[in-house]
Amino acid sequence: MSGWFSWVLRAAALARLETWHREHPGTQGLGERQILTGSGLAMAPEIQAAVSADLVREGALVKTELGLRLPTHQAHLAPADARLWERIDVELAEAGSKPLAAREIAQATGLELRRIEVLLTQAARLGLVHYISKSRVTRPEDLRRLAGIVEQIAMSSGDGAVSVAELRDASGIGRNMSVEIMEYFDKQRFTQRFGDRHRVLKPAEKLFH
């Protein structure tokens, strides 16, 4: 590609990403093979990836696990969504260590279930909540609290492990939910199941800081 044409592509990619950030504030950005999609320049994915790589090397773009973004962009909820999120966050805070399902939040707030589900998905991308199962979420600080409970139980046990029943009794959140939480911790490699117990593998503060 000529220097002039390369400059055109890079300028178009930056302009496209700036527009994307403005229209989709809750996302990190665009994929490296989609950086020119919607810009009016129909380029092959391989060329878009090459343009993206150049811009990342120059520091004009930042590459994250969720896409490419401008250095000045910080993903956030749109104002209308942020106002609704305040109501959801109140319910999550009141629930404390008990993870909530979207349906429970909808019933408590009177908001539409589908709207809750969309907001929870956006919030999870921003790190405002964690899905500990397919339907239940909890705030980061409450997840750290649960991890701390598991760690304390394990430290006081003879085998460095914890059972679902012990977590249930210490947290007061019920057996079924305790099962889901321990399964989540196993997937995060915080714990590892052996028999009916779960051995702590890493310090909680390193995984849930």
Side-chain angles (χ1 to χ4, degrees):
M1 289 186 291
S2 68
W4 176 83
F5 188 51
S6 176
W7 179 87
V8 169
L9 293 181
R10 290 143 74 106
L14 293 173
R16 172 58 181 146
L17 197 50
E18 184 177 359
T19 300
W20 179 268
H21 287 332
R22 185 170 59 252
E23 295 177 347
H24 304 86
T27 65
Q28 285 289 353
L30 289 168
E32 60 183 11
R33 299 167 73 88
Q34 303 171 315
I35 196 68
L36 290 167
T37 301
S39 68
L41 297 174
M43 305 302 298
E46 294 76 13
I47 293 179
Q48 298 191 56
V51 173
S52 299
D54 285 343
L55 290 170
V56 170
R57 279 194 297 271
E58 295 172 6
L61 294 182
V62 176
K63 187 174 183 179
T64 73
E65 293 181 358
L66 298 177
L68 299 171
R69 65 173 176 83
L70 294 173
T72 55
H73 174 69
Q74 292 294 329
H76 61 277
L77 293 175
D81 290 336
R83 287 191 293 272
L84 291 179
W85 179 252
E86 291 178 358
R87 297 171 61 183
I88 295 174
D89 192 51
V90 168
E91 298 301 325
L92 292 171
E94 290 182 353
S97 298
K98 176 187 175 184
L100 294 180
R103 189 173 300 279
E104 293 174 317
I105 297 172
Q107 292 173 347
T109 60
L111 297 173
E112 181 185 2
L113 176 59
R114 180 56 185 161
R115 191 77 182 94
I116 296 292
E117 293 172 339
V118 171
L119 269 175
L120 289 179
T121 298
Q122 294 177 349
R125 290 174 181 161
L126 297 175
L128 298 175
V129 294
H130 295 280
Y131 276 91
I132 59 100
S133 68
K134 184 177 180 179
S135 61
R136 293 187 177 276
V137 300
T138 190
R139 301 183 306 163
E141 53 266 47
D142 296 319
L143 183 62
R144 288 193 293 270
R145 188 178 299 114
L146 287 167
I149 292 173
V150 169
E151 196 168 49
Q152 289 176 3
I153 296 172
M155 290 176 63
S156 62
S157 68
D159 58 358
V162 57
S163 68
V164 168
E166 289 171 331
L167 174 59
R168 176 201 62 199
D169 294 342
S171 65
I173 58 176
R175 176 174 174 76
N176 290 341
M177 208 171 299
S178 295
V179 169
E180 292 184 358
I181 289 169
M182 290 311 309
E183 289 177 346
Y184 173 83
F185 284 152
D186 288 346
K187 290 177 182 178
Q188 299 302 312
R189 303 298 296 164
F190 171 47
T191 57
Q192 182 179 43
R193 182 175 179 177
F194 66 102
D196 62 352
R197 296 182 67 72
H198 302 256
R199 183 179 292 114
V200 172
L201 300 178
K202 302 175 183 178
E205 63 179 13
K206 289 188 176 182
L207 288 175
F208 308 108
H209 56 76

